[in-house]
Amino acid sequence: PAGVASPGSRDANARLVMDDLDGRRFDLSEHRGKVVLVNLFATWCPPCRAETPDLVALAKEYESKGVVVVGVSLDSEGPEVVRKFVRDFEIPYPVLMPSGGSETSFQINGIPIPTTYLVDRQGRVAKKYVGKVPGSVFRADVEAVLSER
């Protein structure tokens, strides 16, 4: 069962600075005070594809509560493949692609995908998920982190 890591075990200052598919800069530090779910995925990955509808629903449901969902595509085929995926799944949240100018404290090379990180309001990683996670688990953990003060 998923649970939220204790605050003492959280990494300080998770970093993520990357361009989205439209060339806009996304900087995780600009979202302090919000709970952020960072989903590392690839369009060709079956568990990633299976998990995406739950992430889309969560993004829409929790946006007004101060939750930000962001995808990081690890596709090597280029942005057009990812844009099609975004259209097909009607993804409302930013989707980023690593490039030479990207900065991140998240391990993105050689990891199993999907991997998702739950970042608390202080910008620390509260939880790391490896593999497909049911939407109910994301929701429970997001609620737990939202309830922290």
Side-chain angles (χ1 to χ4, degrees):
V4 176
S6 66
S9 67
R10 296 192 183 171
D11 300 332
N13 301 323
R15 229 174 46 258
L16 178 64
V17 181
M18 237 173 246
D19 290 342
D20 72 10
L21 290 170
D22 297 320
R24 288 186 301 258
R25 200 74 159 157
F26 178 93
D27 186 337
L28 183 62
S29 68
E30 294 173 2
H31 297 277
R32 287 276 156 78
K34 295 186 176 185
V35 174
V36 183
L37 207 56
V38 179
N39 177 249
L40 307 177
F41 75 98
T43 60
W44 49 263
C45 155
C48 301
R49 296 176 75 83
E51 183 176 74
T52 298
D54 283 335
L55 291 168
V56 166
L58 188 138
K60 290 176 180 174
E61 183 180 339
Y62 282 86
E63 180 181 27
S64 64
K65 296 179 181 179
V67 176
V68 174
V69 177
V70 61
V72 178
S73 167
L74 301 180
D75 284 88
S76 57
E77 295 83 21
E80 277 316 307
V81 172
V82 182
R83 280 190 183 96
K84 181 179 180 339
F85 183 83
V86 168
R87 280 191 307 272
D88 290 350
F89 283 91
E90 299 179 9
I91 296 173
Y93 49 84
V95 174
L96 317 177
M97 292 192 76
S99 66
S102 300
E103 297 176 40
T104 184
S105 59
F106 300 110
Q107 181 182 353
I108 60 174
N109 294 318
I111 60 159
I113 51 173
T115 293
T116 304
Y117 296 90
L118 179 61
V119 180
D120 69 14
R121 287 187 172 104
Q122 288 73 44
R124 301 171 305 194
V125 174
K127 187 138 175 84
K128 176 182 177 183
Y129 311 86
V130 177
K132 180 188 176 302
V133 174
S136 59
V137 171
F138 282 143
R139 274 184 177 73
D141 290 348
V142 163
E143 287 283 351
V145 173
L146 278 172
S147 71
E148 295 173 358
R149 288 288 162 211

